[in-house]
């Protein structure tokens, strides 16, 4: 089972979660950093990310795809993200990468097919999500249903 150890996540506004129609079995999030070895190390990173570095923001869900992590047979159905900026000339924040995504479905050990993804989660491209919290999450060696947020604060 794929362990992401401790992670720094960005969490969406609760009201925006309605688009998932209660079909997501884990906390939807954007992972800023994963595979942090210890909780004290994760908390240090969390504390260093000052509010002026990461502020609340909006994204539009872009195209979706099935992704596979070869070394651990971890599959996800995820949406690429389009950062909604105030002006076309505005630069994205330093922490933003083109690889950021929101996953809506996970599977272990066997290939994931589109038919396994609930229909309500297959056509979310174009929806907007607002993100307003930063969090430290623990994934440990646990199934994704047992991942949990340990600390969070508003952006």
């Amino acid at each position: 089972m794929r362990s992401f150890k401790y992670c720094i996540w960005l969490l969406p506004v609760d009201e925006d979660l309605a688009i998932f129609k209660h079909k997501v079995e884990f906390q939807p999030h954007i992972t800023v950093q994963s595979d942090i070895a210890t909780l004290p190390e994760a908390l240090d990173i969390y504390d260093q990310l000052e509010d002026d570095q990461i502020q609340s923001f909006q994204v539009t869900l872009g195209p979706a795809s099935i992704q596979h992590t070869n070394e651990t047979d971890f599959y996800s159905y995820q949406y690429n993200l389009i950062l909604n900026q105030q002006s076309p000339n505005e630069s994205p924040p330093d922490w933003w990468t083109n690889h950021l995504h929101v996953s809506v479905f996970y599977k272990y050990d066997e290939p994931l097919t589109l038919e396994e993804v609930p229909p309500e989660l297959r056509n979310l491209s174009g929806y907007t999500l607002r993100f307003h919290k930063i969090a430290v999450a623990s994934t440990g060696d646990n199934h994704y249903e047992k991942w949990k947020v340990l600390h969070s604060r508003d952006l």
Side-chain angles (χ1 to χ4, degrees):
M1 196 171 307
R2 172 70 161 103
S3 172
F4 294 96
K5 300 178 183 162
Y6 293 97
C7 303
I8 305 297
W9 286 353
L10 300 174
L11 306 177
V13 173
D14 290 340
E15 296 83 35
D16 291 356
L17 297 177
I19 68 166
F20 301 118
K21 299 184 181 8
H22 307 289
K23 297 291 184 181
V24 178
E25 298 175 338
F26 50 87
Q27 167 69 55
H29 60 274
I30 295 174
T31 300
V32 174
Q33 188 168 346
S34 63
D35 299 307
I36 304 168
T38 67
L39 179 57
E41 185 181 355
L43 289 170
D44 284 345
I45 294 167
Y46 170 83
D47 289 339
Q48 289 172 17
L49 290 169
E50 298 294 329
D51 293 340
D52 61 343
Q53 291 176 295
I54 299 182
Q55 299 176 359
S56 59
F57 61 98
Q58 290 186 358
V59 298
T60 299
L61 298 179
S65 62
I66 294 175
Q67 298 295 316
H68 175 225
T69 305
N70 289 325
E71 70 272 6
T72 57
D73 279 339
F74 179 78
Y75 296 84
S76 67
Y77 187 73
Q78 63 189 41
Y79 286 88
N80 293 330
L81 301 177
I82 301 162
L83 181 63
N84 297 349
Q85 297 179 277
Q86 300 297 326
S87 73
N89 298 329
E90 184 180 355
S91 297
D94 291 339
W95 54 268
W96 184 266
T97 71
N98 290 330
H99 303 291
L100 294 177
H101 62 273
V102 170
S103 296
V104 296
F105 194 85
Y106 293 139
K107 184 177 179 184
Y108 295 107
D109 301 326
E110 298 175 12
L112 173 63
T113 65
L114 185 59
E115 292 74 30
E116 293 174 282
V117 177
E120 299 88 346
L121 300 178
R122 290 188 213 158
N123 297 305
L124 300 177
S125 294
Y127 278 91
T128 298
L129 289 176
R130 297 169 293 161
F131 285 80
H132 72 122
K133 285 187 184 248
I134 186 168
V136 174
S138 173
T139 67
D141 293 325
N142 295 318
H143 190 278
Y144 61 79
E145 292 173 337
K146 295 182 180 176
W147 295 354
K148 60 184 171 192
V149 171
L150 303 176
H151 299 277
S152 69
R153 71 173 186 264
D154 289 337
L155 296 174

